[in-house]
Coordinates of all heavy atoms in Angstrom, one line a residue:
M1 N 0.8 -1.2 0.0 CA 0.0 0.0 0.0 C 0.9 1.2 0.0 O 1.9 1.3 0.7 CB -0.9 0.0 1.2 CG -2.0 1.0 1.2 SD -3.2 0.6 2.4 CE -4.7 0.7 1.6
S2 N 0.6 2.2 -0.9 CA 1.4 3.4 -1.0 C 1.0 4.4 0.1 O 0.0 4.3 0.9 CB 1.2 4.0 -2.3 OG -0.1 4.5 -2.4
N3 N 1.8 5.4 0.3 CA 1.6 6.4 1.3 C 0.6 7.5 0.8 O 0.2 8.3 1.6 CB 2.9 7.2 1.7 CG 3.8 6.2 2.4 OD1 3.4 5.3 3.0 ND2 5.1 6.5 2.4
R4 N 0.2 7.4 -0.5 CA -0.8 8.4 -1.0 C -2.2 8.1 -0.5 O -2.5 6.9 -0.2 CB -0.9 8.3 -2.5 CG 0.4 9.0 -3.2 CD 0.2 8.9 -4.6 NE -1.2 9.0 -5.1 CZ -1.5 8.7 -6.3 NH1 -0.6 8.4 -7.2 NH2 -2.7 8.8 -6.7
I5 N -2.9 9.1 -0.3 CA -4.3 8.9 0.2 C -5.1 8.5 -1.0 O -5.1 9.2 -2.1 CB -4.8 10.2 0.8 CG1 -4.0 10.6 2.1 CG2 -6.3 10.1 1.2 CD1 -4.4 11.9 2.7
R6 N -5.8 7.5 -0.9 CA -6.7 7.0 -2.0 C -7.8 7.9 -2.2 O -8.4 8.5 -1.3 CB -7.2 5.6 -1.7 CG -6.1 4.6 -1.6 CD -6.5 3.2 -1.2 NE -7.8 2.8 -1.8 CZ -8.5 1.7 -1.5 NH1 -7.9 0.9 -0.6 NH2 -9.6 1.5 -2.0
P7 N -8.2 8.1 -3.5 CA -9.3 9.0 -3.9 C -10.6 8.6 -3.2 O -11.5 9.4 -2.9 CB -9.4 8.9 -5.4 CG -8.1 8.5 -5.8 CD -7.5 7.6 -4.7
E8 N -10.8 7.3 -3.0 CA -12.0 6.8 -2.3 C -12.1 7.4 -0.9 O -13.2 7.8 -0.5 CB -12.0 5.3 -2.3 CG -13.3 4.7 -1.8 CD -13.2 3.2 -1.7 OE1 -12.3 2.6 -2.3 OE2 -14.2 2.6 -1.2
I9 N -11.1 7.4 -0.2 CA -11.1 7.9 1.2 C -11.4 9.4 1.2 O -12.1 9.9 2.1 CB -9.7 7.6 1.9 CG1 -9.5 6.1 2.1 CG2 -9.7 8.2 3.2 CD1 -8.2 5.7 2.6
I10 N -10.8 10.1 0.2 CA -11.1 11.5 0.1 C -12.6 11.7 -0.2 O -13.2 12.6 0.4 CB -10.3 12.2 -1.0 CG1 -8.8 12.1 -0.6 CG2 -10.7 13.6 -1.3 CD1 -7.9 12.6 -1.6
G11 N -13.2 10.8 -1.0 CA -14.6 11.0 -1.3 C -15.5 10.8 -0.1 O -16.4 11.5 0.2
W12 N -15.1 9.7 0.7 CA -15.9 9.5 1.9 C -15.8 10.7 2.9 O -16.7 11.1 3.5 CB -15.4 8.2 2.6 CG -15.8 7.0 1.9 CD1 -15.0 6.2 1.1 CD2 -17.1 6.3 1.9 NE1 -15.8 5.1 0.6 CE2 -17.0 5.2 1.1 CE3 -18.3 6.7 2.5 CZ2 -18.1 4.3 0.9 CZ3 -19.4 5.8 2.3 CH2 -19.3 4.6 1.5
G13 N -14.6 11.2 2.9 CA -14.4 12.4 3.8 C -15.2 13.6 3.4 O -15.8 14.3 4.2
V14 N -15.2 13.9 2.1 CA -16.0 15.0 1.5 C -17.5 14.8 1.8 O -18.1 15.7 2.2 CB -15.7 15.2 0.1 CG1 -16.6 16.2 -0.6 CG2 -14.2 15.7 -0.1
V15 N -17.9 13.6 1.6 CA -19.4 13.3 1.8 C -19.7 13.5 3.3 O -20.7 14.1 3.6 CB -19.7 11.9 1.3 CG1 -21.1 11.5 1.8 CG2 -19.7 11.8 -0.2
G16 N -18.9 13.0 4.2 CA -19.1 13.2 5.6 C -19.1 14.6 6.0 O -19.9 15.1 6.8
L17 N -18.2 15.4 5.4 CA -18.1 16.9 5.7 C -19.4 17.6 5.1 O -19.9 18.4 5.9 CB -16.9 17.5 5.1 CG -16.6 18.9 5.4 CD1 -16.3 19.1 6.8 CD2 -15.4 19.4 4.5
V18 N -19.9 17.2 4.0 CA -21.1 17.8 3.5 C -22.3 17.5 4.4 O -23.1 18.4 4.7 CB -21.4 17.3 2.0 CG1 -22.8 17.7 1.6 CG2 -20.3 17.8 1.1
I19 N -22.4 16.3 4.8 CA -23.5 16.0 5.8 C -23.4 16.8 7.0 O -24.3 17.3 7.6 CB -23.6 14.4 6.0 CG1 -24.0 13.8 4.7 CG2 -24.5 14.1 7.1 CD1 -23.9 12.2 4.8
L20 N -22.1 16.8 7.6 CA -21.9 17.6 8.8 C -22.3 19.1 8.6 O -22.9 19.7 9.5 CB -20.5 17.5 9.3 CG -20.1 18.2 10.5 CD1 -20.8 17.6 11.7 CD2 -18.6 18.1 10.7
V21 N -21.9 19.7 7.5 CA -22.2 21.1 7.2 C -23.8 21.2 7.1 O -24.4 22.2 7.6 CB -21.6 21.5 5.9 CG1 -22.2 22.8 5.4 CG2 -20.1 21.7 6.1
G22 N -24.4 20.3 6.5 CA -25.9 20.3 6.5 C -26.5 20.2 7.9 O -27.5 21.0 8.2
V23 N -26.0 19.4 8.7 CA -26.6 19.3 10.1 C -26.3 20.6 10.9 O -27.2 21.1 11.5 CB -25.9 18.1 10.8 CG1 -26.2 18.1 12.3 CG2 -26.4 16.8 10.2
V24 N -25.2 21.2 10.7 CA -24.9 22.4 11.4 C -25.8 23.6 10.9 O -26.3 24.4 11.6 CB -23.4 22.8 11.3 CG1 -23.1 24.2 11.7 CG2 -22.5 21.8 12.0
T25 N -26.0 23.6 9.5 CA -26.8 24.6 8.9 C -28.2 24.5 9.4 O -28.9 25.5 9.7 CB -26.8 24.5 7.4 OG1 -25.4 24.5 7.0 CG2 -27.5 25.6 6.8
I26 N -28.8 23.3 9.6 CA -30.1 23.1 10.1 C -30.2 23.5 11.5 O -31.1 24.2 11.9 CB -30.5 21.6 9.9 CG1 -30.8 21.3 8.5 CG2 -31.8 21.3 10.8 CD1 -31.2 19.8 8.2
A27 N -29.2 23.2 12.3 CA -29.1 23.6 13.7 C -29.2 25.1 13.9 O -30.0 25.7 14.6 CB -28.0 23.0 14.4
V28 N -28.4 25.8 13.0 CA -28.3 27.3 13.1 C -29.7 27.8 12.6 O -30.2 28.8 13.2 CB -27.2 27.8 12.2 CG1 -27.3 29.3 12.0 CG2 -25.8 27.5 12.8
G29 N -30.2 27.2 11.6 CA -31.5 27.7 11.1 C -32.7 27.5 12.0 O -33.6 28.4 12.2
L30 N -32.6 26.4 12.8 CA -33.8 26.2 13.7 C -33.6 27.0 15.0 O -34.6 27.3 15.7 CB -33.8 24.7 14.1 CG -34.3 23.8 13.0 CD1 -34.3 22.3 13.4 CD2 -35.7 24.1 12.6
L31 N -32.4 27.4 15.3 CA -32.2 28.2 16.5 C -32.4 29.7 16.2 O -32.5 30.5 17.1 CB -30.8 28.0 17.1 CG -30.5 26.6 17.6 CD1 -29.0 26.5 18.0 CD2 -31.4 26.3 18.8
T32 N -32.5 30.1 15.0 CA -32.8 31.5 14.6 C -34.3 31.7 14.6 O -35.0 31.0 13.9 CB -32.2 31.7 13.2 OG1 -30.7 31.4 13.2 CG2 -32.3 33.2 12.9
P33 N -34.7 32.7 15.3 CA -36.2 33.0 15.3 C -36.6 33.4 13.9 O -36.0 34.2 13.2 CB -36.4 34.1 16.3 CG -35.0 34.6 16.6 CD -34.0 33.6 16.1
V34 N -37.8 32.9 13.5 CA -38.4 33.3 12.2 C -39.5 34.3 12.4 O -40.4 34.1 13.2 CB -39.0 32.0 11.5 CG1 -39.6 32.3 10.2 CG2 -37.9 30.9 11.4
T35 N -39.3 35.4 11.7 CA -40.4 36.5 11.7 C -40.8 36.7 10.3 O -40.1 36.6 9.3 CB -39.8 37.7 12.3 OG1 -38.7 38.2 11.5 CG2 -39.3 37.5 13.8
F36 N -42.0 37.1 10.2 CA -42.6 37.5 8.9 C -43.7 38.5 9.2 O -44.3 38.6 10.3 CB -43.1 36.2 8.2 CG -44.4 35.7 8.7 CD1 -45.6 36.0 8.1 CD2 -44.4 34.9 9.8 CE1 -46.8 35.5 8.5 CE2 -45.6 34.4 10.3 CZ -46.8 34.7 9.7
G37 N -44.1 39.1 8.2 CA -45.1 40.1 8.2 C -46.0 40.0 7.0 O -45.6 39.6 5.9
W38 N -47.2 40.4 7.1 CA -48.2 40.4 6.0 C -48.7 41.8 5.9 O -49.5 42.3 6.7 CB -49.3 39.4 6.2 CG -50.1 39.2 5.0 CD1 -51.4 39.8 4.8 CD2 -49.9 38.4 3.9 NE1 -51.8 39.4 3.6 CE2 -51.0 38.6 3.0 CE3 -48.9 37.6 3.5 CZ2 -51.1 37.9 1.8 CZ3 -48.9 37.0 2.3 CH2 -50.0 37.1 1.5
F39 N -48.4 42.5 4.9 CA -48.8 43.9 4.7 C -49.5 44.1 3.4 O -49.6 45.2 2.9 CB -47.5 44.8 4.7 CG -46.7 44.7 6.0 CD1 -45.6 44.0 6.0 CD2 -47.2 45.2 7.2 CE1 -44.8 43.8 7.1 CE2 -46.5 45.0 8.3 CZ -45.3 44.4 8.3
A40 N -50.1 43.1 2.8 CA -50.8 43.3 1.5 C -52.2 44.0 1.7 O -52.6 44.7 0.7 CB -51.0 41.9 0.9
Y41 N -52.9 43.8 2.7 CA -54.1 44.4 2.9 C -54.4 44.6 4.5 O -53.8 44.0 5.3 CB -55.2 43.6 2.3 CG -55.4 42.2 2.9 CD1 -56.1 41.9 4.0 CD2 -54.6 41.1 2.3 CE1 -56.2 40.7 4.5 CE2 -54.7 39.9 2.8 CZ -55.5 39.7 3.9 OH -55.6 38.4 4.4
R42 N -55.3 45.4 4.7 CA -55.7 45.6 6.1 C -56.5 44.4 6.6 O -57.5 44.0 5.9 CB -56.6 46.9 6.2 CG -57.0 47.2 7.6 CD -57.6 48.5 7.7 NE -58.0 48.8 9.1 CZ -59.1 49.3 9.4 NH1 -60.0 49.6 8.5 NH2 -59.4 49.4 10.7
P43 N -56.2 43.8 7.7 CA -56.9 42.7 8.3 C -58.4 43.0 8.5 O -58.7 44.2 8.8 CB -56.3 42.4 9.6 CG -55.0 43.1 9.5 CD -55.1 44.3 8.6
L44 N -59.2 42.1 8.3 CA -60.7 42.2 8.5 C -61.1 42.3 10.0 O -62.1 42.9 10.3 CB -61.4 41.1 7.8 CG -61.3 41.0 6.3 CD1 -62.0 39.8 5.8 CD2 -61.7 42.3 5.6
A45 N -60.2 41.7 10.8 CA -60.5 41.7 12.2 C -59.3 42.3 12.9 O -58.2 42.4 12.4 CB -60.8 40.4 12.7
D46 N -59.4 42.6 14.2 CA -58.3 43.1 15.0 C -57.5 42.0 15.6 O -56.7 42.2 16.5 CB -58.8 44.1 16.0 CG -59.3 45.3 15.4 OD1 -58.8 45.7 14.4 OD2 -60.1 46.0 16.1
A47 N -57.7 40.8 15.1 CA -57.0 39.6 15.7 C -55.6 39.5 15.1 O -55.3 39.9 14.0 CB -57.7 38.3 15.3
T48 N -54.7 39.0 15.9 CA -53.3 38.9 15.5 C -53.0 37.4 15.3 O -53.4 36.6 16.1 CB -52.3 39.4 16.6 OG1 -52.7 40.8 16.9 CG2 -50.9 39.3 16.2
F49 N -52.4 37.2 14.1 CA -52.0 35.8 13.9 C -50.8 35.3 14.7 O -49.8 36.0 14.7 CB -51.6 35.6 12.3 CG -51.2 34.3 12.0 CD1 -52.0 33.2 12.0 CD2 -49.8 34.1 11.6 CE1 -51.6 31.9 11.6 CE2 -49.4 32.8 11.3 CZ -50.2 31.7 11.3
N50 N -51.0 34.2 15.4 CA -50.0 33.7 16.2 C -49.7 32.3 15.8 O -50.5 31.4 16.1 CB -50.4 33.7 17.7 CG -49.2 33.5 18.6 OD1 -48.1 33.3 18.2 ND2 -49.6 33.4 19.9
P51 N -48.6 32.0 15.1 CA -48.4 30.6 14.6 C -47.9 29.7 15.7 O -46.7 29.5 15.9 CB -47.3 30.8 13.5 CG -46.6 32.0 14.0 CD -47.6 32.9 14.7
V52 N -48.8 29.1 16.4 CA -48.5 28.2 17.5 C -49.2 26.9 17.2 O -50.4 26.8 17.0 CB -48.9 28.7 18.9 CG1 -48.6 27.7 20.0 CG2 -48.2 30.1 19.2
G53 N -48.5 25.8 17.2 CA -49.1 24.5 17.1 C -49.2 24.0 15.7 O -48.5 23.2 15.2
D54 N -50.2 24.7 14.9 CA -50.5 24.1 13.6 C -49.5 24.6 12.6 O -49.3 23.8 11.5 CB -51.9 24.6 13.2 CG -53.0 24.0 14.1 OD1 -52.7 22.9 14.7 OD2 -54.1 24.5 14.1
A55 N -48.9 25.7 12.6 CA -48.1 26.3 11.6 C -46.6 26.0 11.9 O -46.2 26.2 13.1 CB -48.3 27.8 11.4
L56 N -45.9 25.5 10.9 CA -44.4 25.3 11.2 C -43.7 26.3 10.2 O -43.8 26.1 9.0 CB -44.0 23.9 10.9 CG -42.5 23.6 10.9 CD1 -42.0 23.9 12.3 CD2 -42.3 22.2 10.4
L57 N -43.0 27.2 10.7 CA -42.3 28.2 9.9 C -40.8 27.9 10.0 O -40.2 27.8 11.1 CB -42.5 29.6 10.4 CG -44.0 30.0 10.4 CD1 -44.1 31.4 11.1 CD2 -44.5 30.1 9.0
V58 N -40.2 27.7 8.8 CA -38.7 27.4 8.8 C -38.0 28.5 8.0 O -38.6 29.0 7.0 CB -38.4 26.0 8.2 CG1 -38.9 24.9 9.1 CG2 -38.9 25.8 6.8
S59 N -36.9 28.8 8.4 CA -36.1 29.9 7.7 C -35.5 29.3 6.4 O -35.4 28.1 6.2 CB -35.1 30.5 8.6 OG -34.1 29.4 8.9
R60 N -35.0 30.2 5.6 CA -34.3 29.7 4.4 C -33.0 29.0 4.7 O -32.6 28.0 4.0 CB -33.9 31.0 3.5 CG -35.0 31.6 2.9 CD -34.6 32.8 2.0 NE -35.8 33.4 1.4 CZ -35.8 34.7 1.1 NH1 -34.7 35.4 1.2 NH2 -36.9 35.2 0.6
T61 N -32.4 29.3 5.8 CA -31.2 28.6 6.3 C -31.5 27.2 6.6 O -30.8 26.2 6.2 CB -30.6 29.3 7.5 OG1 -30.4 30.7 7.3 CG2 -29.3 28.7 7.9
T62 N -32.6 26.9 7.2 CA -33.1 25.5 7.5 C -33.3 24.7 6.2 O -32.9 23.6 6.1 CB -34.3 25.5 8.4 OG1 -34.0 26.3 9.5 CG2 -34.6 24.1 8.8
V63 N -34.0 25.4 5.3 CA -34.3 24.7 4.0 C -33.0 24.3 3.2 O -32.8 23.3 2.7 CB -35.2 25.6 3.1 CG1 -35.3 25.0 1.7 CG2 -36.6 25.7 3.8
V64 N -32.0 25.3 3.2 CA -30.8 25.0 2.6 C -30.0 23.9 3.3 O -29.4 23.0 2.7 CB -29.9 26.3 2.6 CG1 -28.4 26.0 2.3 CG2 -30.4 27.3 1.7
G65 N -30.1 23.8 4.6 CA -29.5 22.8 5.4 C -30.1 21.4 5.0 O -29.4 20.4 4.8
F66 N -31.4 21.3 4.8 CA -32.1 20.1 4.4 C -31.6 19.7 3.0 O -31.4 18.5 2.7 CB -33.6 20.2 4.5 CG -34.2 20.0 5.9 CD1 -34.9 21.0 6.4 CD2 -34.0 18.9 6.6 CE1 -35.5 20.9 7.7 CE2 -34.4 18.8 7.8 CZ -35.2 19.8 8.4
I67 N -31.5 20.7 2.1 CA -31.0 20.3 0.8 C -29.6 19.9 0.7 O -29.3 18.9 0.1 CB -31.2 21.6 -0.1 CG1 -32.6 21.9 -0.4 CG2 -30.4 21.4 -1.5 CD1 -32.9 23.3 -1.0
V68 N -28.7 20.4 1.6 CA -27.3 20.0 1.7 C -27.3 18.6 2.2 O -26.5 17.8 1.7 CB -26.5 21.0 2.5 CG1 -25.1 20.5 2.9 CG2 -26.3 22.3 1.8
I69 N -28.0 18.3 3.2 CA -28.1 16.9 3.8 C -28.6 16.0 2.7 O -28.0 14.8 2.6 CB -28.9 16.8 5.1 CG1 -28.1 17.5 6.2 CG2 -29.3 15.4 5.4 CD1 -28.8 17.4 7.5
A70 N -29.6 16.3 2.0 CA -30.1 15.4 1.0 C -29.1 15.1 -0.1 O -28.9 14.0 -0.5 CB -31.4 16.0 0.3
L71 N -28.3 16.2 -0.5 CA -27.3 15.9 -1.5 C -26.1 15.1 -0.9 O -25.6 14.2 -1.6 CB -26.7 17.3 -2.0 CG -27.7 18.1 -2.8 CD1 -27.0 19.5 -3.1 CD2 -28.0 17.4 -4.1
G72 N -25.8 15.3 0.3 CA -24.8 14.5 0.9 C -25.2 13.0 1.1 O -24.4 12.1 0.9
L73 N -26.5 12.8 1.4 CA -27.0 11.4 1.5 C -27.1 10.7 0.2 O -26.8 9.5 0.0 CB -28.3 11.4 2.2 CG -28.3 11.7 3.7 CD1 -29.7 11.8 4.2 CD2 -27.5 10.7 4.5
I74 N -27.4 11.5 -0.9 CA -27.4 10.9 -2.3 C -26.0 10.5 -2.6 O -25.7 9.5 -3.2 CB -28.0 12.0 -3.2 CG1 -29.5 12.0 -3.0 CG2 -27.7 11.5 -4.7 CD1 -30.1 13.2 -3.8
A75 N -25.0 11.4 -2.3 CA -23.6 11.1 -2.6 C -23.1 9.9 -1.8 O -22.4 9.0 -2.3 CB -22.7 12.3 -2.3
L76 N -23.5 9.8 -0.6 CA -23.2 8.7 0.3 C -23.7 7.4 -0.3 O -23.1 6.3 -0.3 CB -23.7 8.9 1.7 CG -23.4 7.8 2.7 CD1 -22.0 7.8 3.0 CD2 -24.2 8.0 4.0
A77 N -25.0 7.4 -0.8 CA -25.6 6.2 -1.4 C -24.8 5.8 -2.7 O -24.6 4.6 -2.9 CB -27.1 6.4 -1.7
F78 N -24.4 6.8 -3.5 CA -23.7 6.5 -4.6 C -22.3 5.9 -4.3 O -21.9 4.9 -4.9 CB -23.4 7.8 -5.4 CG -22.4 7.6 -6.6 CD1 -22.8 7.1 -7.7 CD2 -21.1 8.1 -6.4 CE1 -22.0 6.9 -8.8 CE2 -20.2 7.9 -7.5 CZ -20.7 7.3 -8.6
L79 N -21.6 6.4 -3.3 CA -20.3 5.8 -2.9 C -20.5 4.4 -2.4 O -19.6 3.6 -2.7 CB -19.6 6.7 -1.9 CG -18.9 8.0 -2.4 CD1 -18.4 8.8 -1.3 CD2 -17.8 7.7 -3.4
A80 N -21.5 4.2 -1.5 CA -21.7 2.9 -1.0 C -22.0 1.8 -2.1 O -21.5 0.7 -2.2 CB -22.8 2.9 0.0
G81 N -22.9 2.2 -3.1 CA -23.2 1.4 -4.2 C -22.0 1.1 -5.1 O -21.7 0.0 -5.6
W82 N -21.2 2.2 -5.3 CA -19.9 2.0 -6.2 C -19.0 1.0 -5.5 O -18.4 0.2 -6.1 CB -19.4 3.4 -6.3 CG -18.1 3.4 -7.2 CD1 -18.0 2.9 -8.4 CD2 -16.9 4.1 -6.9 NE1 -16.7 3.1 -8.9 CE2 -16.0 3.8 -7.9 CE3 -16.4 4.8 -5.8 CZ2 -14.7 4.3 -7.9 CZ3 -15.1 5.2 -5.8 CH2 -14.3 5.0 -6.8
R83 N -18.8 1.2 -4.2 CA -17.9 0.3 -3.4 C -18.4 -1.1 -3.5 O -17.6 -2.1 -3.6 CB -17.9 0.8 -2.0 CG -17.2 -0.1 -1.0 CD -15.8 0.4 -0.8 NE -15.2 -0.5 0.2 CZ -13.9 -0.6 0.3 NH1 -13.1 0.1 -0.5 NH2 -13.4 -1.3 1.3
L84 N -19.7 -1.4 -3.3 CA -20.2 -2.8 -3.4 C -20.1 -3.3 -4.7 O -19.8 -4.5 -4.9 CB -21.7 -2.7 -2.9 CG -22.0 -2.6 -1.4 CD1 -23.4 -2.5 -1.1 CD2 -21.4 -3.8 -0.6
A85 N -20.4 -2.5 -5.8 CA -20.3 -3.0 -7.1 C -18.8 -3.3 -7.5 O -18.5 -4.3 -8.1 CB -20.8 -2.0 -8.1
R86 N -17.9 -2.5 -7.0 CA -16.5 -2.8 -7.3 C -16.0 -4.1 -6.6 O -15.2 -4.8 -7.1 CB -15.7 -1.6 -6.8 CG -14.6 -1.2 -7.8 CD -13.8 0.0 -7.4 NE -13.1 -0.3 -6.1 CZ -12.6 0.6 -5.4 NH1 -12.6 1.8 -5.8 NH2 -12.0 0.2 -4.3
R87 N -16.5 -4.3 -5.4 CA -16.1 -5.5 -4.6 C -16.6 -6.7 -5.3 O -15.9 -7.7 -5.4 CB -16.6 -5.4 -3.2 CG -16.1 -6.6 -2.3 CD -16.6 -6.6 -0.9 NE -17.0 -5.3 -0.4 CZ -17.7 -5.1 0.7 NH1 -18.2 -6.1 1.3 NH2 -18.0 -3.9 1.1
R88 N -17.8 -6.7 -5.8 CA -18.4 -7.8 -6.5 C -17.7 -8.2 -7.7 O -17.6 -9.3 -8.1 CB -19.9 -7.6 -6.8 CG -20.7 -7.7 -5.5 CD -22.2 -7.8 -5.8 NE -22.9 -7.8 -4.6 CZ -24.2 -7.4 -4.4 NH1 -24.8 -7.0 -5.5 NH2 -24.8 -7.5 -3.3
T89 N -17.2 -7.2 -8.5 CA -16.6 -7.4 -9.8 C -15.1 -8.1 -9.5 O -14.7 -8.8 -10.3 CB -16.4 -6.1 -10.6 OG1 -15.7 -5.2 -9.9 CG2 -17.7 -5.6 -11.1
T90 N -14.5 -7.7 -8.4 CA -13.2 -8.3 -8.1 C -13.4 -9.7 -7.6 O -12.4 -10.5 -7.7 CB -12.5 -7.5 -7.1 OG1 -13.3 -7.3 -5.9 CG2 -12.2 -6.1 -7.6
E91 N -14.5 -10.1 -7.0 CA -14.7 -11.5 -6.5 C -15.0 -12.5 -7.6 O -14.8 -13.7 -7.5 CB -15.9 -11.5 -5.5 CG -15.6 -10.8 -4.2 CD -16.8 -10.8 -3.3 OE1 -17.9 -11.3 -3.7 OE2 -16.7 -10.3 -2.2
L92 N -15.5 -12.0 -8.8 CA -15.8 -12.9 -9.9 C -14.6 -13.4 -10.5 O -13.6 -13.5 -10.7 CB -16.7 -12.2 -10.9 CG -18.0 -11.8 -10.3 CD1 -18.8 -11.0 -11.5 CD2 -18.9 -13.1 -10.0

């Protein structure tokens, strides 16, 4: 075995790093309070909308985190399938 780092190990490291970045991004997004306002028209009642219970508001940061994790998991599945397929071709 040579002293060079194999490209496969670098791939696994990059995928792990992408997933970790996604998790951190989601954590930051969920810890940031989400505020919004609706100024298109005057409300019909003097009631104030309070999104408790039924409404789930996520920030753009959280959505980006979910997208990054999804891409990382897709890359992880690709690397795992590539590794299994390569192992099977060497056994034949």
Side-chain angles (χ1 to χ4, degrees):
M1 191 168 229
S2 67
N3 290 336
R4 285 184 30 193
I5 298 175
R6 292 175 40 186
E8 184 180 353
I9 294 173
I10 293 173
W12 287 102
V14 168
V15 167
L17 186 65
V18 167
I19 292 173
L20 181 66
V21 166
V23 168
V24 169
T25 305
I26 288 176
V28 168
L30 289 176
L31 293 175
T32 305
V34 179
T35 59
F36 74 99
W38 186 264
F39 302 105
Y41 59 90
R42 184 172 178 225
L44 298 177
D46 290 331
T48 303
F49 175 69
N50 190 5
V52 178
D54 295 340
L56 174 64
L57 302 174
V58 293
S59 65
R60 288 182 184 154
T61 308
T62 307
V63 173
V64 168
F66 281 122
I67 291 170
V68 169
I69 283 184
L71 292 175
L73 291 175
I74 289 169
L76 181 69
F78 171 77
L79 283 176
W82 182 51
R83 172 98 173 159
L84 286 173
R86 225 178 62 191
R87 185 181 333 164
R88 287 190 181 158
T89 57
T90 57
E91 290 176 359
L92 295 177

